[in-house]
Amino acid sequence: MGPFTGLSARSFGKLITTLRREGVDAPRPGRPWSLPLEDRVLLVAAYWRTNLTLRQLAPLFGVSKSAADRIIDHAGPLLALKQRQRFRKDSVLIVDGTLVPTRDHGIAQQSKNHRYSTNHQVVVDADTRLVVAVGRPVPGNRNDCKAWAESGAKAAVGRTTTIADGGYPGTGLLIPHRRPAGGELCDWKKEHNRSHKQVRARVEHVFARMKNWKILRDCRLKGDGVHHAMLGVARLHNLLQAA
């Protein structure tokens, strides 16, 4: 399970226990699943990590292509990150957008990377570097200012202090000082920009770790699939950071 989830056996066991408490494995009408919960979660994680086609992935778990598809559709949303509802008064958050190449043209648009992509607004805690909120995907041609509000990330954060890069002017977020035309910034503003950049780099580190999951490099899922994948990868990233 290590190569697929990045989790130790103990952390993976805690995840399974948590899912059972949430009622994921409760009895339901109809045919029972051909795989136990542990293998279903591992199948979804393997799909997100490797981005293999279902024809390639299904034989590894001894199930049919259609069964693997049903497992991903059912278990993927259940692994989604439980986004934080409340924040401490002294919390400092960091937000940034990342593009995920997405083949479903119904939700994706051509973006600056010249591919059909979706824009995902990801909010992390500056102290713990854990993902606390992920906005719904918006077309990749939306700039971060619009995506911040349209994705729901702004509503999820509320009035909590949040810093961002220079791509969020007029949003009320803490962004770097802009150099005036034909002039230079004063020393204290330069120092503030330097410290701001050092802190904001933490969200870039989170993106680098999340993009190790190949589903976020070329997503073939349709509809809400890319959103569920992003939330699931965020939850697994948090578990790995907290381990």
Side-chain angles (χ1 to χ4, degrees):
M1 68 186 69
F4 292 134
T5 65
L7 302 175
S8 65
R10 182 178 180 181
S11 297
F12 186 78
K14 288 183 178 179
L15 173 61
I16 297 300
T17 301
T18 302
L19 292 175
R20 286 203 167 100
R21 286 176 183 167
E22 295 171 357
V24 170
D25 206 27
R28 62 174 197 159
R31 294 178 58 186
W33 293 106
S34 56
L35 296 175
L37 178 61
E38 293 83 351
D39 287 345
R40 298 201 304 272
V41 172
L42 190 58
L43 186 151
V44 175
Y47 179 67
W48 288 344
R49 174 72 79 173
T50 64
N51 207 19
L52 292 172
T53 65
L54 294 182
R55 290 186 183 277
Q56 295 170 320
L57 185 66
L60 299 178
F61 290 84
V63 296
S64 65
K65 172 180 172 293
S66 57
D69 185 45
R70 288 193 295 271
I71 289 172
I72 291 171
D73 286 344
H74 178 264
L78 302 177
L79 287 171
L81 173 74
K82 303 300 185 292
Q83 307 199 51
R84 195 179 299 178
Q85 301 295 324
R86 292 185 177 182
F87 302 94
R88 302 188 315 271
K89 291 184 178 180
D90 59 346
S91 292
V92 176
L93 308 179
I94 315 170
V95 64
D96 201 358
T98 185
L99 294 174
V100 175
T102 307
R103 299 195 188 186
D104 184 358
H105 292 186
I107 59 174
Q109 289 290 339
Q110 281 188 316
S111 55
K112 61 185 179 182
N113 62 2
H114 306 293
R115 301 181 64 180
Y116 276 85
S117 303
T118 47
N119 183 322
H120 298 256
Q121 297 291 303
V122 178
V123 183
V124 303
D125 188 297
D127 292 328
T128 63
R129 309 192 187 198
L130 300 179
V131 179
V132 296
V134 178
R136 291 196 62 82
V138 298
N141 58 0
R142 297 284 197 279
N143 60 39
D144 285 337
C145 287
K146 288 186 176 181
W148 167 243
E150 293 178 6
S151 67
K154 179 179 180 181
V157 167
R159 298 183 179 180
T160 309
T161 302
T162 307
I163 68 176
D165 60 21
Y168 292 82
T171 58
L173 302 177
L174 299 180
I175 63 174
H177 301 284
R178 302 177 76 92
R179 187 176 64 180
E184 291 290 336
L185 291 175
C186 57
D187 291 342
W188 75 267
K189 288 185 177 181
K190 289 181 180 179
E191 182 60 30
H192 182 267
N193 281 0
R194 186 179 299 110
S195 62
H196 183 281
K197 184 177 180 179
Q198 290 173 346
V199 174
R200 195 184 58 78
R202 296 172 187 175
V203 73
E204 302 292 348
H205 299 159
V206 171
F207 287 155
R209 296 186 182 98
M210 291 177 68
K211 289 296 180 75
N212 284 332
W213 298 78
K214 293 185 179 180
I215 192 70
L216 302 185
R217 301 184 199 173
D218 181 19
C219 185
R220 295 188 295 268
L221 298 171
K222 296 182 179 181
D224 289 334
V226 66
H227 184 48
H228 295 152
M230 177 62 81
L231 290 173
V233 169
R235 182 175 188 176
L236 293 173
H237 165 269
N238 286 356
L239 288 173
L240 184 59
Q241 286 293 107

